[in-house]
PDB file of all heavy atoms in Angstrom:
ATOM      1  N   LEU B   5      -9.377 -11.758 -21.259  1.00 72.00           N
ATOM      2  CA  LEU B   5      -9.451 -10.589 -20.383  1.00 72.00           C
ATOM      3  C   LEU B   5      -8.260 -10.509 -19.450  1.00 72.00           C
ATOM      4  O   LEU B   5      -8.262  -9.754 -18.497  1.00 72.00           O
ATOM      5  CB  LEU B   5     -10.754 -10.638 -19.572  1.00 72.00           C
ATOM      6  CG  LEU B   5     -12.032 -10.632 -20.399  1.00 72.00           C
ATOM      7  CD1 LEU B   5     -13.237 -10.770 -19.505  1.00 72.00           C
ATOM      8  CD2 LEU B   5     -12.120  -9.378 -21.244  1.00 72.00           C
ATOM      9  N   GLY B   6      -7.240 -11.288 -19.701  1.00 77.00           N
ATOM     10  CA  GLY B   6      -6.069 -11.296 -18.840  1.00 77.00           C
ATOM     11  C   GLY B   6      -6.148 -12.437 -17.844  1.00 77.00           C
ATOM     12  O   GLY B   6      -7.012 -13.294 -17.904  1.00 77.00           O
ATOM     13  N   VAL B 100       5.508   1.673  -6.898  1.00 98.00           N
ATOM     14  CA  VAL B 100       4.929   1.176  -8.149  1.00 98.00           C
ATOM     15  C   VAL B 100       4.540  -0.286  -7.933  1.00 98.00           C
ATOM     16  O   VAL B 100       5.387  -1.105  -7.566  1.00 98.00           O
ATOM     17  CB  VAL B 100       5.913   1.290  -9.335  1.00 98.00           C
ATOM     18  CG1 VAL B 100       5.295   0.692 -10.596  1.00 98.00           C
ATOM     19  CG2 VAL B 100       6.340   2.726  -9.559  1.00 98.00           C
ATOM     20  N   ALA B 101       3.278  -0.576  -8.124  1.00 98.00           N
ATOM     21  CA  ALA B 101       2.765  -1.943  -8.061  1.00 98.00           C
ATOM     22  C   ALA B 101       2.444  -2.372  -9.490  1.00 98.00           C
ATOM     23  O   ALA B 101       1.678  -1.697 -10.186  1.00 98.00           O
ATOM     24  CB  ALA B 101       1.516  -2.003  -7.195  1.00 98.00           C
ATOM     25  N   THR B 102       3.029  -3.463  -9.920  1.00 97.00           N
ATOM     26  CA  THR B 102       2.825  -3.959 -11.281  1.00 97.00           C
ATOM     27  C   THR B 102       2.099  -5.297 -11.216  1.00 97.00           C
ATOM     28  O   THR B 102       2.541  -6.211 -10.511  1.00 97.00           O
ATOM     29  CB  THR B 102       4.172  -4.112 -12.005  1.00 97.00           C
ATOM     30  OG1 THR B 102       4.847  -2.846 -11.993  1.00 97.00           O
ATOM     31  CG2 THR B 102       3.979  -4.562 -13.442  1.00 97.00           C
ATOM     32  N   ILE B 103       0.989  -5.377 -11.934  1.00 96.00           N
ATOM     33  CA  ILE B 103       0.204  -6.611 -11.972  1.00 96.00           C
ATOM     34  C   ILE B 103       0.096  -7.048 -13.433  1.00 96.00           C
ATOM     35  O   ILE B 103      -0.775  -6.585 -14.178  1.00 96.00           O
ATOM     36  CB  ILE B 103      -1.187  -6.405 -11.337  1.00 96.00           C
ATOM     37  CG1 ILE B 103      -1.025  -5.866  -9.909  1.00 96.00           C
ATOM     38  CG2 ILE B 103      -1.984  -7.703 -11.357  1.00 96.00           C
ATOM     39  CD1 ILE B 103      -2.318  -5.519  -9.215  1.00 96.00           C
ATOM     40  N   PRO B 104       1.013  -7.929 -13.882  1.00 94.00           N
ATOM     41  CA  PRO B 104       1.030  -8.346 -15.285  1.00 94.00           C
ATOM     42  C   PRO B 104      -0.266  -9.010 -15.750  1.00 94.00           C
ATOM     43  O   PRO B 104      -0.663  -8.846 -16.905  1.00 94.00           O
ATOM     44  CB  PRO B 104       2.201  -9.333 -15.354  1.00 94.00           C
ATOM     45  CG  PRO B 104       3.101  -8.901 -14.246  1.00 94.00           C
ATOM     46  CD  PRO B 104       2.163  -8.465 -13.148  1.00 94.00           C
ATOM     47  N   GLY B 105      -0.934  -9.745 -14.870  1.00 92.00           N
ATOM     48  CA  GLY B 105      -2.159 -10.446 -15.273  1.00 92.00           C
ATOM     49  C   GLY B 105      -3.229  -9.513 -15.809  1.00 92.00           C
ATOM     50  O   GLY B 105      -3.968  -9.863 -16.729  1.00 92.00           O
ATOM     51  N   THR B 106      -3.315  -8.319 -15.221  1.00 92.00           N
ATOM     52  CA  THR B 106      -4.302  -7.341 -15.686  1.00 92.00           C
ATOM     53  C   THR B 106      -3.645  -6.248 -16.531  1.00 92.00           C
ATOM     54  O   THR B 106      -4.312  -5.291 -16.904  1.00 92.00           O
ATOM     55  CB  THR B 106      -5.031  -6.688 -14.494  1.00 92.00           C
ATOM     56  OG1 THR B 106      -4.069  -6.032 -13.662  1.00 92.00           O
ATOM     57  CG2 THR B 106      -5.810  -7.722 -13.702  1.00 92.00           C
ATOM     58  N   ARG B 107      -2.367  -6.419 -16.784  1.00 94.00           N
ATOM     59  CA  ARG B 107      -1.586  -5.466 -17.592  1.00 94.00           C
ATOM     60  C   ARG B 107      -1.759  -4.037 -17.050  1.00 94.00           C
ATOM     61  O   ARG B 107      -2.031  -3.105 -17.789  1.00 94.00           O
ATOM     62  CB  ARG B 107      -1.975  -5.565 -19.060  1.00 94.00           C
ATOM     63  CG  ARG B 107      -1.670  -6.930 -19.669  1.00 94.00           C
ATOM     64  CD  ARG B 107      -2.038  -7.037 -21.134  1.00 94.00           C
ATOM     65  NE  ARG B 107      -3.458  -6.963 -21.427  1.00 94.00           N
ATOM     66  CZ  ARG B 107      -4.314  -7.978 -21.313  1.00 94.00           C
ATOM     67  NH1 ARG B 107      -3.895  -9.139 -20.914  1.00 94.00           N
ATOM     68  NH2 ARG B 107      -5.586  -7.822 -21.610  1.00 94.00           N
ATOM     69  N   THR B 108      -1.589  -3.903 -15.721  1.00 95.00           N
ATOM     70  CA  THR B 108      -1.790  -2.612 -15.076  1.00 95.00           C
ATOM     71  C   THR B 108      -0.657  -2.306 -14.116  1.00 95.00           C
ATOM     72  O   THR B 108      -0.169  -3.192 -13.416  1.00 95.00           O
ATOM     73  CB  THR B 108      -3.123  -2.607 -14.285  1.00 95.00           C
ATOM     74  OG1 THR B 108      -4.178  -3.055 -15.141  1.00 95.00           O
ATOM     75  CG2 THR B 108      -3.451  -1.225 -13.775  1.00 95.00           C
ATOM     76  N   GLN B 109      -0.251  -1.043 -14.101  1.00 97.00           N
ATOM     77  CA  GLN B 109       0.683  -0.534 -13.100  1.00 97.00           C
ATOM     78  C   GLN B 109      -0.060   0.496 -12.261  1.00 97.00           C
ATOM     79  O   GLN B 109      -0.808   1.317 -12.794  1.00 97.00           O
ATOM     80  CB  GLN B 109       1.898   0.134 -13.738  1.00 97.00           C
ATOM     81  CG  GLN B 109       2.971  -0.826 -14.143  1.00 97.00           C
ATOM     82  CD  GLN B 109       4.259  -0.105 -14.496  1.00 97.00           C
ATOM     83  OE1 GLN B 109       4.242   0.937 -15.130  1.00 97.00           O
ATOM     84  NE2 GLN B 109       5.367  -0.672 -14.085  1.00 97.00           N
ATOM     85  N   TYR B 110       0.165   0.432 -10.964  1.00 98.00           N
ATOM     86  CA  TYR B 110      -0.421   1.392 -10.031  1.00 98.00           C
ATOM     87  C   TYR B 110       0.716   2.207  -9.426  1.00 98.00           C
ATOM     88  O   TYR B 110       1.736   1.645  -9.014  1.00 98.00           O
ATOM     89  CB  TYR B 110      -1.207   0.673  -8.932  1.00 98.00           C
ATOM     90  CG  TYR B 110      -2.390  -0.081  -9.478  1.00 98.00           C
ATOM     91  CD1 TYR B 110      -2.267  -1.398  -9.906  1.00 98.00           C
ATOM     92  CD2 TYR B 110      -3.629   0.535  -9.592  1.00 98.00           C
ATOM     93  CE1 TYR B 110      -3.345  -2.088 -10.423  1.00 98.00           C
ATOM     94  CE2 TYR B 110      -4.725  -0.153 -10.119  1.00 98.00           C
ATOM     95  CZ  TYR B 110      -4.568  -1.458 -10.523  1.00 98.00           C
ATOM     96  OH  TYR B 110      -5.640  -2.140 -11.043  1.00 98.00           O
ATOM     97  N   PHE B 111       0.530   3.496  -9.381  1.00 98.00           N
ATOM     98  CA  PHE B 111       1.548   4.402  -8.863  1.00 98.00           C
ATOM     99  C   PHE B 111       1.076   4.931  -7.512  1.00 98.00           C
ATOM    100  O   PHE B 111       0.057   5.621  -7.432  1.00 98.00           O
ATOM    101  CB  PHE B 111       1.808   5.533  -9.858  1.00 98.00           C
ATOM    102  CG  PHE B 111       2.232   5.015 -11.202  1.00 98.00           C
ATOM    103  CD1 PHE B 111       1.288   4.836 -12.210  1.00 98.00           C
ATOM    104  CD2 PHE B 111       3.539   4.658 -11.445  1.00 98.00           C
ATOM    105  CE1 PHE B 111       1.661   4.325 -13.449  1.00 98.00           C
ATOM    106  CE2 PHE B 111       3.919   4.131 -12.679  1.00 98.00           C
ATOM    107  CZ  PHE B 111       2.977   3.972 -13.684  1.00 98.00           C
ATOM    108  N   ILE B 142      -3.415   7.177  -5.593  1.00 97.00           N
ATOM    109  CA  ILE B 142      -2.992   5.960  -6.272  1.00 97.00           C
ATOM    110  C   ILE B 142      -3.556   6.052  -7.682  1.00 97.00           C
ATOM    111  O   ILE B 142      -4.769   6.064  -7.865  1.00 97.00           O
ATOM    112  CB  ILE B 142      -3.497   4.685  -5.570  1.00 97.00           C
ATOM    113  CG1 ILE B 142      -2.954   4.611  -4.144  1.00 97.00           C
ATOM    114  CG2 ILE B 142      -3.086   3.442  -6.372  1.00 97.00           C
ATOM    115  CD1 ILE B 142      -3.522   3.457  -3.324  1.00 97.00           C
ATOM    116  N   SER B 143      -2.677   6.199  -8.638  1.00 97.00           N
ATOM    117  CA  SER B 143      -3.119   6.293 -10.029  1.00 97.00           C
ATOM    118  C   SER B 143      -2.720   5.015 -10.752  1.00 97.00           C
ATOM    119  O   SER B 143      -1.947   4.211 -10.236  1.00 97.00           O
ATOM    120  CB  SER B 143      -2.515   7.525 -10.708  1.00 97.00           C
ATOM    121  OG  SER B 143      -1.115   7.413 -10.772  1.00 97.00           O
ATOM    122  N   TYR B 144      -3.244   4.809 -11.934  1.00 96.00           N
ATOM    123  CA  TYR B 144      -2.936   3.596 -12.660  1.00 96.00           C
ATOM    124  C   TYR B 144      -2.734   3.875 -14.147  1.00 96.00           C
ATOM    125  O   TYR B 144      -3.162   4.896 -14.660  1.00 96.00           O
ATOM    126  CB  TYR B 144      -4.012   2.537 -12.461  1.00 96.00           C
ATOM    127  CG  TYR B 144      -5.304   2.839 -13.162  1.00 96.00           C
ATOM    128  CD1 TYR B 144      -5.570   2.309 -14.417  1.00 96.00           C
ATOM    129  CD2 TYR B 144      -6.259   3.670 -12.578  1.00 96.00           C
ATOM    130  CE1 TYR B 144      -6.756   2.606 -15.077  1.00 96.00           C
ATOM    131  CE2 TYR B 144      -7.436   3.962 -13.217  1.00 96.00           C
ATOM    132  CZ  TYR B 144      -7.684   3.428 -14.464  1.00 96.00           C
ATOM    133  OH  TYR B 144      -8.835   3.719 -15.127  1.00 96.00           O
ATOM    134  N   SER B 145      -2.073   2.928 -14.774  1.00 97.00           N
ATOM    135  CA  SER B 145      -1.827   3.019 -16.202  1.00 97.00           C
ATOM    136  C   SER B 145      -1.747   1.617 -16.770  1.00 97.00           C
ATOM    137  O   SER B 145      -1.050   0.774 -16.214  1.00 97.00           O
ATOM    138  CB  SER B 145      -0.516   3.771 -16.448  1.00 97.00           C
ATOM    139  OG  SER B 145      -0.213   3.778 -17.830  1.00 97.00           O
ATOM    140  N   PRO B 146      -2.454   1.355 -17.865  1.00 94.00           N
ATOM    141  CA  PRO B 146      -2.286   0.053 -18.516  1.00 94.00           C
ATOM    142  C   PRO B 146      -0.918  -0.017 -19.186  1.00 94.00           C
ATOM    143  O   PRO B 146      -0.340   1.012 -19.540  1.00 94.00           O
ATOM    144  CB  PRO B 146      -3.408   0.028 -19.552  1.00 94.00           C
ATOM    145  CG  PRO B 146      -3.774   1.444 -19.776  1.00 94.00           C
ATOM    146  CD  PRO B 146      -3.421   2.206 -18.539  1.00 94.00           C
ATOM    147  N   PHE B 147      -0.387  -1.218 -19.340  1.00 88.00           N
ATOM    148  CA  PHE B 147       0.868  -1.375 -20.079  1.00 88.00           C
ATOM    149  C   PHE B 147       0.768  -2.541 -21.027  1.00 88.00           C
ATOM    150  O   PHE B 147      -0.108  -3.350 -20.958  1.00 88.00           O
ATOM    151  CB  PHE B 147       2.073  -1.511 -19.132  1.00 88.00           C
ATOM    152  CG  PHE B 147       2.114  -2.777 -18.333  1.00 88.00           C
ATOM    153  CD1 PHE B 147       2.718  -3.917 -18.830  1.00 88.00           C
ATOM    154  CD2 PHE B 147       1.549  -2.840 -17.065  1.00 88.00           C
ATOM    155  CE1 PHE B 147       2.774  -5.095 -18.084  1.00 88.00           C
ATOM    156  CE2 PHE B 147       1.596  -3.996 -16.312  1.00 88.00           C
ATOM    157  CZ  PHE B 147       2.202  -5.120 -16.827  1.00 88.00           C
TER     158      PHE B 147
END
Side-chain angles (χ1 to χ4, degrees):
L5 300 176
V100 177
T102 303
I103 304 175
T106 60
R107 297 181 294 279
T108 309
Q109 277 192 319
Y110 296 89
F111 302 95
I142 299 174
S143 64
Y144 72 95
S145 176
F147 68 88

